[in-house]
Amino acid sequence: QVQLVESGGGLVQAGGSLRLSCAASGKIFRINAMGWYRQAPGKQRELVAVVTSVGSTNYVDSVKGRFTISRDNAKNTVYLQMNSLKPEDTATYYCNANVDGIGWYGLERWGQGTQVTVSS
């Protein structure tokens, strides 16, 4: 079993910052891409940022220049540093990881979600 545990959400005023963390645990041989998604009420889940196993990153246009995704492979952890937060960033944020084990490949796992609320 592979589990993802998120932390770091909360309530912040517009212009503020938060840092999300997501730690993977279990029978992991290798973690491929790791990413953060978000879902606001009444909207579809969207990809916010992704980082590959070699550190390449990609962001949705609305967060470019404000959010930074990074990972610590030794800790099987991915981070999302969110600066200059806006009310429209309010959503539940989900961690995602594509994981290889011994004898199996490409297992996709999701975290439980962490709420980010930005007040105006």
Side-chain angles (χ1 to χ4, degrees):
Q1 290 283 356
V2 176
Q3 293 184 327
L4 303 181
V5 178
E6 301 150 346
S7 61
L11 172 64
V12 65
Q13 289 188 334
S17 298
L18 284 173
R19 188 191 194 210
L20 306 182
S21 300
C22 172
S25 62
K27 296 181 178 180
I28 298 169
F29 176 71
R30 178 176 50 240
I31 301 179
N32 303 306
M34 302 184 81
W36 290 95
Y37 289 70
R38 66 185 179 187
Q39 187 167 19
K43 295 188 177 181
Q44 288 188 332
R45 188 174 296 189
E46 67 169 350
L47 175 64
V48 176
V50 62
V51 57
T52 68
S53 59
V54 295
S56 297
T57 59
N58 198 19
Y59 300 89
V60 67
D61 285 346
S62 59
V63 308
K64 286 180 180 178
R66 300 188 297 122
F67 291 10
T68 301
I69 189 170
S70 61
R71 63 190 284 174
D72 184 333
N73 290 329
K75 296 181 179 180
N76 288 338
T77 299
V78 64
Y79 305 96
L80 186 68
Q81 178 67 44
M82 305 184 293
N83 299 328
S84 302
L85 282 160
K86 304 176 180 180
E88 51 263 43
D89 294 317
T90 295
T92 301
Y93 284 70
Y94 297 90
C95 173
N96 174 272
N98 185 282
V99 181
D100 295 341
I102 303 299
W104 49 268
Y105 306 93
L107 179 67
E108 189 173 26
R109 278 289 178 260
W110 292 90
Q112 78 282 4
T114 185
Q115 180 66 36
V116 171
T117 303
V118 184
S119 63
S120 58

